[in-house]
Amino acid sequence: MDATAADEPRPRVREMTEPDIDAVAAVRVSGWRHAYAGLMPQSYLDGLSAAEYAEQRRAAFADPAGTVTNLVAEGPDGAIVGWAAFGPAKGTDPEDTDPEGTAPDEGELYALYARPDVIGTGVGRALLTEVLRRAPYPAVRLWVLEGNARARRFYERAGFRPDGGFSVDETDGFPVPEVRYRRAASAGH
């Protein structure tokens, strides 16, 4: 924990609303650039656009059939400083998925990002705690870049463990290996 973390008030976590989309897009893009520097092609990271991502989020946010829950963390001044998204687990193996391509008994943390200037202040921890509290699943899984040591330590401190799942995506022709982590959603499940 950073020395400043004890001095920072706990962020307020709430459901995302449509007016939050631009701020969430900025958090996501700055989070990607910070977290994935050296792990993904820099040209790809430099080409990320908060405006383009905001348009994608608006379309997804407007979908009445959407199954994603989006949460935001607000700093003391009310500014959006973090974002998390979760929902039903996306299937990766035919033997553990239902016909719709989801793992029927698990949730998945799709994204969790904090503004780079607030990393270490409890924003990510507050978002993850709320995701695990709200997730209506007995277990939650997530994918993390294999080389992202900081994120892996963060999730391991929160009780997530690698479960053997592994995937390699390509970004701008560059292999991006990911490992899957899993844990019980909460003590109540």
Side-chain angles (χ1 to χ4, degrees):
M1 180 191 310
D2 291 348
T4 59
D7 302 333
E8 295 288 327
R10 182 175 164 92
R12 176 177 171 243
V13 177
R14 62 171 173 79
E15 292 237 5
M16 182 177 144
T17 62
E18 187 174 3
D20 298 326
I21 290 174
D22 289 325
V24 164
V27 165
R28 181 197 179 258
V29 168
S30 66
W32 269 62
R33 288 180 178 155
H34 181 79
Y36 305 140
L39 300 174
M40 297 181 90
Q42 191 61 44
S43 60
Y44 176 80
L45 296 174
D46 291 344
L48 292 174
S49 165
E52 287 176 18
Y53 187 71
E55 286 309 309
Q56 294 170 8
R57 294 298 324 142
R58 278 186 185 77
F61 202 80
D63 181 2
T67 59
V68 176
T69 299
N70 289 280
L71 302 175
V72 294
E74 294 180 337
D77 62 356
I80 303 299
V81 295
W83 164 66
F86 70 95
K90 299 173 185 168
T92 55
D93 302 314
E95 56 275 357
D96 73 356
T97 60
D98 67 21
E100 301 303 318
T102 61
D105 296 332
E106 293 190 350
E108 184 168 337
L109 176 62
Y110 306 130
L112 191 152
Y113 292 98
R115 266 189 357 211
D117 64 308
V118 300
I119 290 173
T121 65
V123 169
R125 187 172 36 257
L127 282 164
L128 185 57
T129 297
E130 191 64 14
V131 166
L132 294 171
R133 187 186 75 75
R134 290 180 183 222
Y137 312 99
V140 174
R141 62 185 175 179
L142 59 90
W143 290 91
V144 62
L145 267 63
E146 183 178 42
N148 191 343
R150 179 180 34 232
R152 292 181 73 168
R153 282 190 308 271
F154 170 79
Y155 291 121
E156 288 168 4
R157 281 192 305 268
F160 284 86
R161 298 291 175 255
D163 70 359
F166 187 81
S167 174
V168 178
D169 288 327
E170 285 207 14
T171 301
D172 280 359
F174 185 83
V176 182
E178 294 180 296
V179 293
R180 190 174 58 202
Y181 277 67
R182 178 180 278 114
R183 72 156 272 178
S186 71
H189 288 283

